[in-house]
């Protein structure tokens, strides 16, 4: 006889009452446990929304006002930097190594920009979040060297002579390589290129004893080259680029200007228009931006105010 039944007079059996623990389990899986089910009255709803509004409206307006104080210069240059004779065939211009890619643009400073001023390159229609692109790397190789070259790096895995490429994979191979320079009047503005990447990446994800080898020296050339005398932990352009973006329009930090720029003054930007965005219909912008305690210009204030609306 099982534990769930007992004998009754006359030989009949009856169901025993289940243990307390079993009853709780049964009520849980059948969703019969007691729960608080509030019945919101109109007065309660009005009071709740008033409290939310009192809290969120001032904070949202404060965040919006803070974001509006960020001074920003955005200049697209992938079209302006193409010679007129190549406007109808931009790919030919980009792929011809005999054509100079140097370009000069002038921009007027719209607002007083206080240092530090962050210099970004901005790409549009570039899907760094593509699954095959994101997987095309070897994290162990980046940290420990060529012996950990992975199959996921294919086709950027071995050079023409069969030697491992360090760093391997499509992400490193497509490294952004447009250089920027700035002059303010007759004075050259220095751009600090140090500490533009995450400290955790430099110390834990890129090896201090791993040096680039066989990189961009074959018949299949992608983006920028790396200094073979510097370890990967010091190649900060690469470290910034390897942290892939989740959206097809993104900015990445190029450097920091550590002096103020006055309003209505003209600044000259010297650009090497090397990176080929024409094959996939991409766009390139250079961005100069100040920052507040909320970071750069953003829509956080609008997001906070939107539930109130």
């Amino acid at each position: 006889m099982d534990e769930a039944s007992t004998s009754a007079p006359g030989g009949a059996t009856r169901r025993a009452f289940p243990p307390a623990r079993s009853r709780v389990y049964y009520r849980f899986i059948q969703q019969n446990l007691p729960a608080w089910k509030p019945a919101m009255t109109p007065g309660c709803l009005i009071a709740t929304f008033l409290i939310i509004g009192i809290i969120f409206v001032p904070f949202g307006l404060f965040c919006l006002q803070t974001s509006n104080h960020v001074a920003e210069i955005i200049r697209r240059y992938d079209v302006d930097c193409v010679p007129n004779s190549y406007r109808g065939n931009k790919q030919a211009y980009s792929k011809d190594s005999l054509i100079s890619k140097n370009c000069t643009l002038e921009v007027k400073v719209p607002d007083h920009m206080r240092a530090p001023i962050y210099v970004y390159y901005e790409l549009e229609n570039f899907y760094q979040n593509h699954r095959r692109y994101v997987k095309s790397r070897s994290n162990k190789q980046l940290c420990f060297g060529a012996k950990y070259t992975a199959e996921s790096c294919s086709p950027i895995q071995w050079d023409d002579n069969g030697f491992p490429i360090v760093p391997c994979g499509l992400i490193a191979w497509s490294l952004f390589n447009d250089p920027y320079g700035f002059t303010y009047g007759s004075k050259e503005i220095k751009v600090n290129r140090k500490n533009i990447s995450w400290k955790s990446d430099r110390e834990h994800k890129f090896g201090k004893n791993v040096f680039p080898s066989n990189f961009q020296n074959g018949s299949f050339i992608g983006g920028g080259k790396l200094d073979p005398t510097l370890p990967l932990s010091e190649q900060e352009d690469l470290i910034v680029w390897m942290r892939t973006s989740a959206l097809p329009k993104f900015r990445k930090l190029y450097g920091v200007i550590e002096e103020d720029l006055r309003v209505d003054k003209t600044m000259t930007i010297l650009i090497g228009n090397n990176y080929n965005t024409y094959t996939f219909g991409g766009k390139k912008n250079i961005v100069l931006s100040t920052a507040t305690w909320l970071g750069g210009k953003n829509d956080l204030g609008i997001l906070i105010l939107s539930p109130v609306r």
Side-chain angles (χ1 to χ4, degrees):
M1 185 178 298
D2 58 19
E3 297 178 358
S5 60
T6 57
S7 298
T13 59
R14 63 181 180 182
R15 186 79 175 177
F17 198 74
R21 185 175 180 181
S22 299
R23 293 199 304 273
V24 171
Y25 178 72
Y26 176 82
R27 294 175 67 190
F28 173 75
I29 61 175
Q30 296 299 323
Q31 295 295 298
N32 290 330
L33 291 175
W36 181 58
K37 299 178 182 179
M40 302 292 286
T41 62
C44 185
L45 283 174
I46 293 171
T48 301
F49 277 103
L50 282 175
I51 293 172
I52 293 174
I54 291 171
I55 295 173
F56 277 78
V57 169
F59 184 63
L61 292 174
F62 176 67
C63 292
L64 193 61
Q65 185 69 15
T66 302
S67 178
N68 289 336
H69 279 112
V70 174
E72 195 173 70
I73 299 174
I74 304 175
R75 179 65 186 270
R76 181 180 176 183
Y77 65 89
D78 57 293
V79 175
D80 294 341
C81 287
V82 177
N84 291 330
S85 58
Y86 284 92
R87 290 290 174 91
N89 192 357
K90 299 183 182 66
Q91 294 188 38
Y93 155 78
S94 182
K95 294 178 180 179
D96 192 342
S97 59
L98 299 179
I99 302 175
S100 174
K101 302 300 188 297
N102 295 330
C103 176
T104 302
L105 301 175
E106 290 187 349
V107 296
K108 182 173 286 188
V109 180
D111 300 293
H112 183 71
M113 302 182 75
R114 297 184 180 276
I117 301 168
Y118 298 94
V119 181
Y120 301 91
Y121 55 88
E122 182 178 75
L123 296 179
E124 296 185 39
N125 201 37
F126 192 114
Y127 289 82
Q128 275 198 317
N129 60 351
H130 191 284
R131 181 174 177 271
R132 291 184 64 185
Y133 185 84
V134 172
K135 290 184 64 178
S136 186
R137 61 188 293 167
S138 173
N139 293 323
K140 284 189 174 181
Q141 188 209 60
L142 294 172
C143 196
F144 302 111
K147 62 181 179 180
Y148 290 100
T149 302
E151 290 293 334
S152 60
C153 292
S154 180
I156 317 299
Q157 185 178 5
W158 315 100
D159 68 0
D160 296 341
N161 298 316
F163 294 105
I165 298 173
V166 181
C168 67
L170 286 171
I171 306 178
W173 175 80
S174 60
L175 174 65
F176 188 81
N177 62 337
D178 284 4
Y180 303 127
F182 304 89
T183 57
Y184 192 55
S186 58
K187 178 185 176 183
E188 180 181 356
I189 301 176
K190 294 183 179 180
V191 181
N192 184 5
R193 307 294 312 284
K194 294 291 185 181
N195 299 322
I196 60 173
S197 60
W198 290 19
K199 183 179 179 181
S200 59
D201 286 354
R202 296 195 301 269
E203 293 184 351
H204 303 294
K205 294 187 177 182
F206 293 81
K208 296 181 180 179
N209 297 313
V210 181
F211 293 83
S213 62
N214 308 312
F215 186 74
Q216 302 284 23
N217 62 354
S219 58
F220 198 36
I221 302 298
K225 296 186 177 182
L226 299 174
D227 187 345
T229 64
L230 291 178
L232 296 186
S233 61
E234 296 181 23
Q235 310 262 7
E236 294 205 53
D237 282 335
L238 174 70
I239 297 173
V240 171
W241 181 256
M242 295 289 285
R243 183 166 283 279
T244 54
S245 174
L247 300 173
K249 180 179 179 180
F250 58 87
R251 296 178 182 180
K252 290 185 182 290
L253 185 61
Y254 178 83
V256 181
I257 296 174
E258 297 176 335
E259 56 183 279
D260 294 356
L261 299 178
R262 296 182 180 179
V263 63
D264 291 332
K265 295 291 184 179
T266 300
M267 180 174 59
T268 302
I269 306 176
L270 308 175
I271 301 172
N273 187 26
N274 301 317
Y275 202 71
N276 184 5
T277 57
Y278 308 107
T279 55
F280 57 88
K283 299 178 182 178
K284 292 189 292 187
N285 302 318
I286 182 170
V287 180
L288 282 76
S289 176
T290 59
T292 64
W293 63 275
L294 275 177
K297 189 177 288 292
N298 58 72
D299 297 326
L300 180 60
I302 298 175
L303 292 175
I304 294 174
L305 290 172
S306 58
V308 181
R309 294 184 300 172

